[in-house]
Amino acid sequence: MQLRARQLHFMAETTQKTANQPEQSELRYEPQRIEEKWHARWQAEPGRYAAETHESKRKKYYVLEMLPYPSGVLHIGHVRNYSIGDALARHMWMRGYNVLHPMGWDAFGLPAENAAIKNQVPPRQWTLQNIAHMKSQMDRLAFSYDWSREITTCLPEYYKWNQWFFLKLYEKDLAYRKKSKVNWCPECATVLANEQVVGGCCWRHEETKVEQRELEQWFVRTTRYAEELLADIEKLERWPEKVRTMQRNWIGRSDGASVDFAIDGNGKITVFTTRIDTIFGATSIQVAPEHPVVGDFIKVDPTLQAKVDELVSQRQKSRESDDPGVIDKHGVFTGRYVINPFNHEKIPVWVANYVLMDYGTGAIMSVPAHDERDFEFAKKYDIEVRVVILPRRSEEPPDPGKKESPVLPYTDKESLVINSGDYNGLSNQEAIEKMTAFAEEHGFGKKVVTYRLKDWGISRQRYWGTPIPMLYCEKCGIVPVPENQLPVLLPENIEITLQGSSPLARMPEFVNTTCPKCGGPARRETDTMDTFVDSSWYFYRYTNPQLTDRALDRATVDYWFPIDQYIGGVEHAILHLIYSRFWTKFMRDIGVVKNSEPITRLFTQGMVIKDGAKMSKNKGNIVSPDEMVARFGADSTRTYALFAAPPDRDLDWQEAGVEGVYRFLGRTYRFVARHASVTRIYSSSTLKAGSGASPTARAIQRKLHQTIKRITDDFQGRWHFNTCVAGIMEFVNALYAAEEEIASGKFPSGALADAQRNLVLMLAPFAPYLAAELWEVLGEKSDLLRQPWPQYDPALAKEDEIEYAIQVNGKVRSRVAVPADSPKELVLERALADDKVRVAIEGKEVVNKIVIPGRLVNIVIR
RNA sequence: GCCGGGAUGGCGGAACUGGCAGACGCAGCGGACUUAAAAUCCGCAGGGCUUAAAAGGCCCGUGGGGGUUCGAGUCCCCCUCUCGGCACCA
């Protein structure tokens, strides 16, 4: 507080001095003065960043940064994310696009409940306070958001539509209720989605082991769209390959067959396999401990129970071990047998700890010769290893008795099926086709496609979320809340604890209601929705957030969608982005939108690192944006966030680096302010090459157009904003180098005006405050945001003369300058005439001469 | 284990399609201005050898080893380390 007061006092002094003498060389760059002045002006102009309607004649551009959780304060990671998006938005505005650049709040979620318990503040109040503060931080950083479109997911105006969409999901049989084992985080006291379990622990509490509980849950049938979600990844050409791969793996399609093995006695066990071609090599069947058949077997042989329990506890232990990767394989022989439908052999049934109940059928056929896991298991329990496939037709079959390792997959065309009755001599692919057909024909198997993707469990036993709009009536069963009764309001004034069931369940006035079907007593669903529901479709709502009679307006959505550019952390590569893609497809199928994918181009920025570690509260290496803004200004903070590293890479935050950017902005400010009087009078003019104009001025102009090209290209392509900023620095350095001539008055005024105006325009996306100030200093009244982006002119960027490096055998021996566009012959002639080159090649035989236009000459001698 | 990034001066990074490695910035050193300091402005700066010194010259150098090429930080093969994701998926 004290420091701040002193700072302000000091600034007041200098401000007065410079205001009276703007041309003095001791001009100071005072970001606080400049930024507070423009901040006040812009705050008084709320419509400043508003997009035009969908009837606009301009081409649309929808740029979006992932909406934050209102935790209380912005951190540097946010600043980086938004600085990238804001630079792009401002650039696109200047390019004449109708830009949509909205912001909102992912405002439901557990931290608000925790804060409520800790500080005795209602979640709503806590959340809204945080939002107000973070919004003011964003404004201070001059992020160009259209706040008229702001959404806050915890407000009924928004979550009403979550509920409406849920009813639609239910109508389409895309939402269903089932009793299931769920991941339970004791710390959160709630259920976690599979996606929220990281290495057996809660994604929020990395130290907390997840438990299994059985509960009635609402699920969304994401698996119905598994195939389309997978196939459409191919269309996402402008997404990072990394994210596409992660999604492909997450969906995890595998093509195979199910095969029924008749149990010796009665019943059957159905296995899933991708390698039916190896079925003659199956020497046992393995089932998951949870497989229903295990219960049946136990009824017959109760002694089995204890053995299976032991197996399960072992698995639990392995899961809790530090290295969850490779666990020991354990198994229990059930004493029972099944019949292989292909060779009618009797093979044993085992219960194995590595077989997963929730993938495939929970049962596998074990082919030790051709699968590493099966091999390991077979060796341990002394089960027969039978080779049924050879990698090449030429190879001799190995002696199975001597085998020390599995023969492994062998899926190429050269493979050869052996020891398999009628199928001997086929390739692996042919065998798969024929065997599957045979199984289908005889009714004991069929072609099956399985996915790793599971349905999305959305029930949360928490208070601070969207109430699931369903009722339970004694007579009618599950009844959806009628649409005209939405929203089901989340009650206020509730006592929040982290114990057991949902806080809502302890509120009779919420729970007890009447059934809309029969009028009898009914209970409300007391679980709330996973907050990923809110973020699955929020970006659509930005197109028309004020609508009260429907979620979206089709014409408006069709105009803005898909999102042209989405920017956020890679940590959302799977969850958020798969749910969002799913939701879009679902909305398309109920006619709410027409597009099948929500996002055209995705950009995932790198993490912010400090002192070698990811910035986090735990590590105590948090940098506060407020502090940076107070010390160096918002412009320096933003520009540094872009300058320190390319946006897709991790960024090492160094305070000295921010100071460096601050110095650069100061240099820019002083130069422009010092020579503003010229620009205020003269209009910009361009110099023609070879017109006898000042060579210094031509050099500046050349550098200017080279810089314009560099930045313009980057915005459209690689986004290496670090080099864009470096380019502007170089340009400013060039202006300083020419300052003596400029001060002397020999420098053409029109050219100086041109350089200054364009410098400010190029700066505008990165340092909006300084750019606005300098624009005004240059006597401009117009809004910089709507100024056309500088036009690149190749003729003006072109060098008159090019310096070639002259190599002899690949080593630079000399340099010669030749006029640009010199023919190769001339360049070579000059190179060979060079003294140093002559010395280097004297008495040697020149075997090759290579001229790379505009770059170098390489003379190869022997 | 599998799938992706990455490794370049004291530090962050640049070199976009194989063509002068180290742009730009930080830290450092020297100078100008100043009574002085801060601020500012100008300059130097990968390592080594040669030289009284400078200029100049020579050699080495992009995690390690090999290869392709007139030419490799960039392409190919093998390896090391590191970060991120997934992990018994049948």
Side-chain angles (χ1 to χ4, degrees), chain A residues 454-706:
Chain A
K454 297 193 190 78
D455 283 343
W456 173 18
I458 61 156
S459 295
R460 295 292 178 274
Q461 291 65 49
R462 300 305 331 150
Y463 161 69
W464 194 232
T466 305
I468 296 173
M470 299 302 270
L471 305 171
Y472 305 100
C473 169
E474 280 164 31
K475 279 189 207 144
C476 316
I478 296 174
V479 182
V481 173
E483 263 182 52
N484 61 16
Q485 286 178 26
L486 296 184
V488 176
L489 282 173
L490 194 60
E492 313 253 339
N493 304 324
I494 183 169
E495 198 214 338
I496 295 169
T497 65
L498 276 184
Q499 286 154 14
S501 59
S502 165
L504 291 177
R506 297 191 299 272
M507 290 187 83
E509 64 272 36
F510 176 80
V511 175
N512 298 323
T513 184
T514 51
C515 173
K517 263 192 190 166
C518 68
R523 288 179 306 106
R524 281 190 194 281
E525 169 65 63
T526 57
D527 285 351
T528 53
M529 295 183 201
D530 181 3
T531 57
F532 275 111
V533 170
D534 314 33
S535 58
S536 292
W537 69 279
Y538 75 99
F539 31 65
Y540 287 98
R541 185 71 181 171
Y542 283 137
T543 61
N544 212 331
Q546 280 86 22
L547 278 183
T548 51
D549 60 335
R550 63 220 134 113
L552 303 169
D553 176 66
R554 177 70 189 259
T556 319
V557 171
D558 286 352
Y559 170 76
W560 286 110
F561 267 77
I563 295 165
D564 295 278
Q565 181 68 64
Y566 197 26
I567 307 164
V570 73
E571 65 272 21
H572 296 110
I574 297 175
L575 309 186
H576 166 55
L577 290 170
I578 262 189
Y579 295 145
S580 294
R581 294 182 58 223
F582 161 80
W583 210 276
T584 290
K585 292 175 191 305
F586 150 65
M587 291 199 300
R588 176 203 59 199
D589 289 348
I590 60 169
V592 175
V593 304
K594 78 168 179 205
N595 50 299
S596 290
E597 286 289 338
I599 299 147
T600 302
R601 188 177 175 191
L602 174 71
F603 188 91
T604 52
Q605 96 245 10
M607 292 187 304
V608 179
I609 304 285
K610 178 102 200 308
D611 309 323
K614 183 182 174 168
M615 264 195 206
S616 74
K617 268 185 197 158
N618 294 345
K619 294 184 182 101
N621 58 353
I622 295 271
V623 172
S624 149
D626 288 350
E627 190 198 327
M628 290 294 123
V629 170
R631 285 174 57 193
F632 305 110
D635 283 337
S636 296
T637 307
R638 294 171 50 135
T639 307
Y640 176 71
L642 298 176
F643 176 64
D648 52 340
R649 284 229 241 148
D650 287 352
L651 182 153
D652 189 85
W653 192 267
Q654 294 182 357
E655 230 153 87
V658 189
E659 200 174 340
V661 170
Y662 164 79
R663 278 205 283 266
F664 152 66
L665 293 179
R667 243 167 109 73
T668 307
Y669 172 76
R670 285 187 296 276
F671 181 89
V672 175
R674 264 202 299 271
H675 304 288
S677 59
V678 174
T679 304
R680 275 198 289 267
I681 300 163
Y682 289 87
S683 53
S684 304
S685 63
T686 52
L687 307 162
K688 290 261 156 41
S691 62
S694 152
T696 316
R698 259 298 290 148
I700 292 290
Q701 189 174 65
R702 199 180 296 124
K703 184 83 182 164
L704 169 66
H705 280 271
Q706 288 167 354

Side-chain angles (χ1 to χ4, degrees), chain A residues 152-169:
Chain A
T152 303
T153 59
C154 66
L155 299 179
E157 297 81 66
Y158 185 82
Y159 71 69
K160 172 181 176 178
W161 303 109
N162 280 346
Q163 295 173 339
W164 183 80
F165 279 123
F166 184 88
L167 295 179
K168 293 290 154 193
L169 286 167

